[in-house]
Amino acid sequence: MDPYEIEFLGENRIISVIPNFSYDKIYLICGEFGPFRAGLPLNVPLWLAIMLKQKQKCRIVPPDWMDLDVLENIKEEEKRSRFFTKMPNEHYMVEAKLILGVAAEDVPNSSEIKTIIKDIWDIRMSKLRTSMDALMKSGGSYGRLDHLTLMEINSVKPLLPSAMDDLHRIRTTSKRPTTASLNTSTFSQSGSSQNI
Amino acid sequence: MDPIDDIELSEEEEEITAETVLKTLQSAWQNERLAPEILPHHNDMVECMLGQIQHMERNINKLPKTDLRASIHKMELSRIKFIICNYLRTRLNKIEKYCIHIINEERQRMESGTNYLTPAEFKYAQEYLLNMESHLKNVVLDKMPGNMQTLELNKMAIYPNLQTHVFLKANDTVSCVVLEDLVGDQDEEIDLEEGSQHILQYKPVADLVKTGKVQLV
C-alpha cells in the first residue's frame, strides 16, 4: 500500500477539538458527532478536525501522548528495550505529522515534540532494520511483529516480503535438482537436433 | 428538523448500521490490496454503501451551498467513494492479470455456488479474455504458418504467487496454523493470538483472510 493510503486509514482516528462555532449534531455515515458548542471540546475523526482547522473553525486538543514528558519516557523505554515497545497510538506518526502540520500552534512545545517523535521513529526503524537483518540471516520464513505500527510495517513492505519470497524460491528450486537436470537434458537434446 | 436523518439500514435478516458497512468495506479493501489472489466479493456491502451515498447526495443538494455541513458531508462521501473505487479497481487489476486462472477457478466455484466474482466481474473477465484472444489472432497468429496458429490459453495463464509473504494482524485467536517447512520436512505450528502481528506465507492463512479471522496489514 502507498504511504498516503496508510495516512488515509490513520485519518479515521478520533481526536478532540474545541470548535469556535455552535451547531447541532451532525450525522455522518461513520457515526454521529456533536453537538458542536463553541468553546467546549468534542470528539471528531481526524480528517474532520484537520478540515475544520484549515477553515479556522476549531482548535485541536493535542492527544494525551503528545506531551514532552510522556514522549521522553517512551523514548527512554524504546532505547532500553530490545523489543519494540507498545506505542501510545497505532498511527502515532500519521497523527503527529498531520496535527503538527496544520495545527502546530495548538500543541505546546511543538518543535521539541516533533524532534522527539522523529527520534523515537529513528530508534524503532533502526531496530526494525537490525531484526530484519537477523531474520534474513537465519533464513526464517516467519516473524512476529507485535507493537509495530502500520506506517512502520509499510515502510519495509517492498523489501522484506520480496526478499523472503526470493529466499523461499531459492530453497524450493535447490530442493529439486532432479527437475533441473531434466531441463538441461531436454535442452541439450533440442540443441543436438538443431545441429542435424 | 435536520434534513440529514440518522441512517439505519434494515435488511431482511439482520439490521446493520452504515458504520458497520463502512468498516467492513474498509477492511475488505485493505485485504484485497494486500492479498496476492482475488478474494470473495463483498458486492452486497458495495451496493448498500452506494445506495447510502446516493441518499446522502440528494440530501446535501437540499442544503445551501455555503453550509458547513454540506462540505463536511461531501468530504466524507469523497472518502468513501475513494475506498469503493480503489477496491473495485484493485479487483479488476487482478482479474486482468490472472484472467485465465480466475475464469477456470470461478467455473468450478460457480458449480458449488461459492463464487468469488460478481456476475458483472465474471462477464468482464470473459470479455477481457475474448478480446485478448481475438487481438492476438488478428495481430499475430493469423499471419503465422498454419501449424503455429493455435493459441494455447492454459500455457499463457499467470498464477498468483500464494507462497508470497504477507503481514497480518489476528482479529481472533487462531491456534495451530501450520507452516510448511520445505527444507527439513518438519512442519511448524504457530498460534496467532488476538491482536498480534506476524509476517508469514499467504497460503496457510488464505482461508483465515477469507473468513475474516485475520486482517492483512
Side-chain angles (χ1 to χ4, degrees), chain A residues 23 26 28 51 55, chain B residues 4 56 59-78:
Chain A
Y23 238 34
I26 182 160
L28 294 179
M51 178 188 175
K55 290 183 188 281
Chain B
I4 290 158
M56 207 56 141
N59 282 333
I60 292 174
N61 286 335
K62 290 182 204 150
L63 290 170
K65 283 236 153 47
T66 49
D67 197 307
L68 179 66
R69 274 175 305 174
S71 53
I72 295 178
H73 281 296
K74 269 187 196 150
M75 174 105 169
E76 187 187 36
L77 291 186
S78 336

Side-chain angles (χ1 to χ4, degrees), chain B residues 12-207:
Chain B
E12 279 170 25
E13 296 148 15
E14 49 184 333
E15 212 167 80
I16 39 172
T17 60
E19 201 180 338
T20 335
V21 177
L22 181 58
K23 285 210 174 105
T24 322
L25 263 182
Q26 185 174 304
S27 71
W29 167 59
Q30 259 179 290
N31 278 339
E32 196 69 62
R33 280 299 309 260
L34 297 162
E37 60 167 348
I38 197 146
L39 300 175
H41 70 81
H42 284 273
N43 201 32
D44 44 345
M45 295 287 162
V46 173
E47 293 288 332
C48 171
M49 198 39 99
L50 289 177
Q52 281 303 311
I53 290 175
Q54 271 184 356
H55 173 79
M56 207 56 141
E57 270 171 347
R58 271 200 298 276
N59 282 333
I60 292 174
N61 286 335
K62 290 182 204 150
L63 290 170
K65 283 236 153 47
T66 49
D67 197 307
L68 179 66
R69 274 175 305 174
S71 53
I72 295 178
H73 281 296
K74 269 187 196 150
M75 174 105 169
E76 187 187 36
L77 291 186
S78 336
R79 289 175 64 83
I80 298 171
K81 281 184 200 161
F82 167 77
I83 297 184
I84 296 182
C85 289
N86 203 313
Y87 173 66
L88 296 177
R89 198 166 44 229
T90 311
R91 288 180 66 84
L92 287 185
N93 277 338
K94 282 186 192 172
I95 291 175
E96 288 184 9
K97 192 168 177 194
Y98 308 122
C99 189
I100 300 165
H101 168 70
I102 286 179
I103 289 181
N104 287 343
E105 292 269 288
E106 188 68 11
R107 287 216 175 100
Q108 290 173 10
R109 282 193 290 252
M110 276 161 106
E111 279 168 21
S112 58
T114 51
N115 48 323
Y116 284 5
L117 304 189
T118 65
E121 281 171 334
F122 188 61
K123 192 167 163 244
Y124 178 82
Q126 280 178 315
E127 275 173 17
Y128 180 83
L129 188 63
L130 266 178
N131 286 341
M132 188 169 72
E133 258 184 86
S134 63
H135 173 72
L136 288 176
K137 279 197 179 117
N138 289 337
V139 176
V140 188
L141 289 175
D142 285 354
K143 292 156 185 80
M144 298 291 268
N147 59 343
M148 292 182 175
Q149 279 189 356
T150 46
L151 183 63
E152 289 175 63
L153 274 182
N154 285 331
K155 278 195 182 164
M156 281 172 54
I158 304 172
Y159 298 95
N161 177 14
L162 299 183
Q163 312 289 327
T164 191
H165 289 78
V166 290
F167 292 97
L168 64 85
K169 183 174 189 159
N171 289 336
D172 283 321
T173 302
V174 186
S175 49
C176 298
V177 175
V178 180
L179 304 179
E180 285 176 50
D181 185 11
L182 285 155
V183 191
D185 290 321
Q186 264 203 331
D187 291 353
E188 202 184 328
E189 277 189 7
I190 52 158
D191 294 341
L192 309 175
E193 291 149 36
E194 189 182 338
S196 59
Q197 303 184 116
H198 310 261
I199 178 170
L200 40 73
Q201 278 187 12
Y202 175 73
K203 206 173 176 195
V205 291
D207 286 336

Side-chain angles (χ1 to χ4, degrees), chain A residues 98-109:
Chain A
L98 289 172
I99 294 176
L100 294 171
V102 294
E105 71 273 15
D106 295 347
V107 184
N109 310 318

